[in-house]
Amino acid sequence: MSLIYVVEDDAAIRGELVQALERNGFEAVWCEAFDHVIEDVQERNPDLVLLDLTLPGTDGQFLCRELRAVSEVPIIVLTSRVTEIDEVMSMTMGADDFIPKPYSTRVLVARIQALLRRAAGGAERTVLEHKGVTLDVSRSIAQAAGGQIELTKNEMRILGLLMAHAGTIVSREEIMRDLWDSDAFVDDNTLTVNINRLRATLAKIGVSDYLTTHRGRGYSV
């Protein structure tokens, strides 16, 4: 049974969320104080974290960044703060997904299950090379003349998929299915955010103009 750690300050919302998780076969734990969330997550070692953004005495995006610095646990931001900048900042800080409130329980469960499958599947031990970029899939590390850098799970999956199909266009729908097992539940902008994060990460090792956008068709390397 997968353990879900809930970071939500509204007791009523938290109670409904925990009940929904338990009805769908998950075990749920939560915090009521928010000054030791990172330590609590490390101690409990959950399979996934559901994270609100508006929290007393702290901010969910700060917690997301701090948690991502010490753990690769999948993080879904679940929040009523639904501006584009909130989504972009959350993904930039390391969130794997962003779901606005009010949410559909069916959609939430589908997103959780997709992320858990990705996390459990692990990476195949293989190395991909194309146009001066080397991707060590087993370690989620990209390397080029400018050095090497560790990728997030989503960055690694996108780059791996594009490099595995180097020279051909991979559609946005195919990338979304590979990331989340479905393109039906994903806001199209979420993929754009992930693509832009990957570009920014590659730029840190001197790789620019590596991902080509084919408007209305998809991406290629």
Side-chain angles (χ1 to χ4, degrees), residues 8 52-54 78-83 86 98-102:
E8 167 63 64
D52 190 16
L53 293 184
T54 304
L78 192 63
T79 182
S80 56
R81 281 167 46 181
V82 295
T83 66
D86 281 317
F98 185 98
I99 301 178
K101 298 176 184 176

Side-chain angles (χ1 to χ4, degrees), residues 18-83:
V18 167
Q19 289 180 8
L21 292 170
E22 291 176 343
R23 284 197 306 270
N24 284 275
F26 300 108
E27 181 182 358
V29 294
W30 60 92
C31 60
E32 295 182 354
F34 303 94
D35 50 350
H36 294 93
V37 170
I38 306 304
E39 294 84 350
D40 199 25
V41 170
Q42 289 181 292
E43 181 179 343
R44 292 175 181 265
N45 193 30
D47 297 291
L48 184 140
V49 172
L50 292 178
L51 177 64
D52 190 16
L53 293 184
T54 304
L55 299 167
T58 188
D59 182 83
Q61 290 172 351
F62 169 79
L63 291 179
C64 185
R65 184 186 65 186
E66 294 297 298
L67 183 56
R68 181 56 70 230
V70 298
S71 172
E72 285 297 314
V73 64
I75 301 171
I76 296 180
V77 168
L78 192 63
T79 182
S80 56
R81 281 167 46 181
V82 295
T83 66

